[in-house]
Every structure is written in C-alpha cells, then in structure tokens.
Amino acid sequence: MTSPQVPSHQVRIHYRQQDTFHTVQVPEDRYILHSAENQGVELPFACRNGACTTCAVRVKSGELYQPEAMGLSPELRQQGYALLCVSYPCSDLEVETQDEDEVYEQQFGRYFGKGKVRFGLPIDED
Ligand code: FES
C-alpha cells in the first residue's frame, strides 16, 4: 500500500498500435507500467527490468525518473524516450507508445544488419 504522503501524478498513455487512450494515477514511488496494470491497463512489455525496450514510449509532456533504464542510451533519453517498466513519474505526464522496435532500431540498427562483419569491422562490399 502506498503511503498517503507520497504524491501521485496523472499519466495519460496513448497506446498507438491500438489507438486507445488510458489515464492512470501513479504515485512517485511506483513504476508506471506496474501501476497501469494494477488499474487494468495492459501495455507492451517483456523483461520488466529496463533492458529490452519493449515498453518504450515517447514522452510528450511532463517529467519522469528512470535511473534503471539501462536499455536506453543517454541520447535517446535526451530525445524524450522512456521505459515505462522502470519509470517513476515526477509530474503529470503524457506519453505515447513507440512504433514497433523503434527504440531498438535507433540504438542498434546502425550496428546490425548492415552487411557482413569480419573481426568486428564492416567489410567493404565493392
Ligand atoms: S519491459 Fe523490457 S525494458 Fe521495459
């Protein structure tokens, strides 16, 4: 049970793949994904520990705290991405789900799937 002294915030989630909107109330000391599930809102997830990026969203407004989001590069955090499974709200928030594998592609797409690799270096195809 949450202490009544802990402030909570309203989190509005646009689940883009289903084109549905959900509003949940999340205390500052609770993860957004877990709180949403407790309020009957099912969102994408896989690992639940900040590693896989399945639960990534774009933050449209507001602030959150995600110290355990190890699956997200500092650059993507600065661009406004967050992992809901390990995010705490710091204010009212508005977020939207990513396109499928959007964050994964942005982080790793430039390293994988770009031709043959030998000894860690790309091979010039010419
Ligand atoms: S569910 Fe894997 S990072 Fe959130």
Side-chain angles (χ1 to χ4, degrees):
M1 211 49 207
T2 303
S3 158
Q5 286 84 25
V6 177
S8 70
H9 301 286
Q10 185 171 290
V11 181
R12 183 168 159 82
I13 303 159
H14 181 194
Y15 191 163
R16 293 172 57 245
Q17 289 75 8
Q18 298 185 347
D19 199 26
T20 54
F21 290 85
H22 307 277
T23 302
V24 294
Q25 203 68 27
V26 184
E28 284 187 352
D29 63 349
R30 296 296 159 113
Y31 292 136
I32 296 170
L33 179 71
H34 191 243
S35 294
E37 288 172 335
N38 283 344
Q39 293 169 56
V41 177
E42 298 293 332
L43 296 168
F45 72 90
C47 72
R48 289 183 181 277
N49 65 12
C52 75
T53 73
T54 303
C55 67
V57 294
R58 299 186 205 112
V59 180
K60 309 292 286 183
S61 67
E63 289 183 25
L64 50 71
Y65 181 54
Q66 50 177 342
E68 300 136 275
M70 56 196 162
L72 210 50
S73 68
E75 292 78 18
L76 286 179
R77 290 187 206 192
Q78 276 178 353
Q79 287 173 32
Y81 288 96
L83 302 177
L84 287 191
C85 70
V86 290
S87 287
Y88 304 97
C90 302
S91 69
D92 286 353
L93 282 160
E94 206 173 330
V95 303
E96 65 180 14
T97 55
Q98 63 170 339
D99 293 330
E100 190 178 0
D101 294 334
E102 175 181 339
V103 165
Y104 185 89
E105 291 287 331
Q106 287 198 48
Q107 291 197 117
F108 304 115
R110 65 199 146 131
Y111 300 120
F112 296 136
K114 294 260 172 80
K116 296 175 186 167
V117 173
R118 181 179 293 165
F119 303 120
L121 296 171
I123 295 172
D124 193 346
E125 298 281 342
D126 294 335

